Amino acid sequence: RLLLGPGPSAVHPRVLRTMSTALVGSLDPEWFQLMDEEQALLRSVFQTENALTFPMSGTGSAGMETAFCNFVEPGDRVLIGCNGYFSERMCEMAAIYGADVRRIEKPWGEVFTPEEVEQTLAKHAPVKILAFVHAETSTGALQPLEGMGELAHRHGALLLVDCVTSLGGVPVWIDAWGIDVAYSATQKCLGCPPGLSPLTVSERARKVLHGRKSKVKNWYLDLTMIEKYWNKDRVYHHTPSTTL
């Protein structure tokens, strides 16, 4: 079959051959070296220096849930740009974790201007998280993000971005655009099988994570534990797919 949709995408035979090699244990010293290499390469892809940059075990939806379960506490106001199928999923997940979800809406296929976003942020202040889908899979609309980080920070909010369809296909400048939390998926422009969700978290967002008043309401996706496996401590959390 020739895959021509927005994902899953066709995978190069070299990648498939590499995945057919012998398994490596998730606490093997050789695997630890590969983890360091993977983090460095993902920082390059994301164009970031964020220490908290690694793949989550799961598809892009796991990345989305990671973003909301770790940075939303009950009552937090979250403003979401709603212009497609996956921004609606953002609203659902934020609400599950107790967010006070506010919407800025456009017809499917259209994008938001900084002026519209600024007005809505002021209207709904205080906002903890401003969230967008960078490239909406359901329509192909590409949301311009330059200046959105500065705008969010001026209003005291974190900028959270879904890069599932965009990472590796169009420029994604995490640090330059002031993006605080971003997640993607391996089966789109990165040209790998589904099953991993690359994630990056800014130091600003990391401080928010560690300043939570309540525990993260999700064990499997709790970054306060998972980061200890990906940093130098290598504290076991769950068994990742070393093949992927």
Side-chain angles (χ1 to χ4, degrees), residues 7 14 99 146 165 205 226:
R14 180 175 61 85
E146 192 169 0
T165 315
I226 295 173

Side-chain angles (χ1 to χ4, degrees), residues 61-82 85-103 127-132 158 160 162 183 212 217-218 221:
S61 293
M64 181 186 288
E65 187 152 9
T66 300
F68 286 105
C69 77
N70 282 277
F71 297 97
V72 170
E73 294 190 75
D76 286 344
R77 190 162 295 168
V78 177
L79 177 61
I80 298 175
C82 297
Y85 181 85
F86 288 96
S87 54
E88 294 295 337
R89 183 173 293 181
M90 277 184 163
C91 292
E92 291 178 30
M93 287 198 186
I96 285 171
Y97 289 100
D100 173 11
V101 177
R102 305 297 173 97
R103 300 162 63 96
V127 172
K128 183 179 183 181
I129 295 172
L130 171 64
F132 292 107
L158 298 174
L160 187 159
D162 178 313
Y183 57 87
R212 288 179 60 101
K217 298 296 190 292
N218 188 310
L221 303 175

Side-chain angles (χ1 to χ4, degrees), residues 1 24 51 83 127 144 147 171 187 189-190 198:
R1 301 186 192 285
V24 177
N83 63 343
V127 172
Q187 79 274 16
C189 298
L190 296 179

Side-chain angles (χ1 to χ4, degrees), residues 128-200:
K128 183 179 183 181
I129 295 172
L130 171 64
F132 292 107
V133 176
H134 187 205
E136 175 55 66
T137 307
S138 63
T139 65
L142 184 67
Q143 171 64 49
L145 292 174
E146 192 169 0
M148 290 295 188
E150 189 274 331
L151 198 161
H153 300 156
R154 194 163 69 243
H155 287 267
L158 298 174
L159 179 58
L160 187 159
V161 176
D162 178 313
C163 302
V164 166
T165 315
S166 60
L167 188 68
V170 296
V172 177
W173 300 87
I174 296 298
D175 290 355
W177 291 344
I179 298 171
D180 295 296
V181 182
Y183 57 87
S184 187
T186 46
Q187 79 274 16
K188 307 283 186 176
C189 298
L190 296 179
C192 299
L196 292 178
S197 179
L199 175 86
T200 188

Side-chain angles (χ1 to χ4, degrees), residues 77 120-127 155:
R77 190 162 295 168
T120 312
L121 278 169
K123 177 182 176 182
H124 294 293
V127 172
H155 287 267

Side-chain angles (χ1 to χ4, degrees), residues 28-114:
D28 188 309
E30 182 181 351
W31 171 241
F32 291 156
Q33 293 178 18
L34 289 170
M35 290 171 71
D36 290 338
E37 181 181 343
E38 189 170 9
Q39 286 184 280
L41 291 169
L42 277 180
R43 289 187 188 104
S44 178
V45 174
F46 273 122
Q47 290 293 287
T48 185
E49 298 296 323
N50 290 341
L52 214 61
T53 302
F54 46 72
M56 297 296 294
S57 297
T59 61
S61 293
M64 181 186 288
E65 187 152 9
T66 300
F68 286 105
C69 77
N70 282 277
F71 297 97
V72 170
E73 294 190 75
D76 286 344
R77 190 162 295 168
V78 177
L79 177 61
I80 298 175
C82 297
N83 63 343
Y85 181 85
F86 288 96
S87 54
E88 294 295 337
R89 183 173 293 181
M90 277 184 163
C91 292
E92 291 178 30
M93 287 198 186
I96 285 171
Y97 289 100
D100 173 11
V101 177
R102 305 297 173 97
R103 300 162 63 96
I104 174 171
E105 300 192 57
K106 275 288 184 77
W108 283 30
E110 296 186 18
V111 295
F112 303 94
T113 66

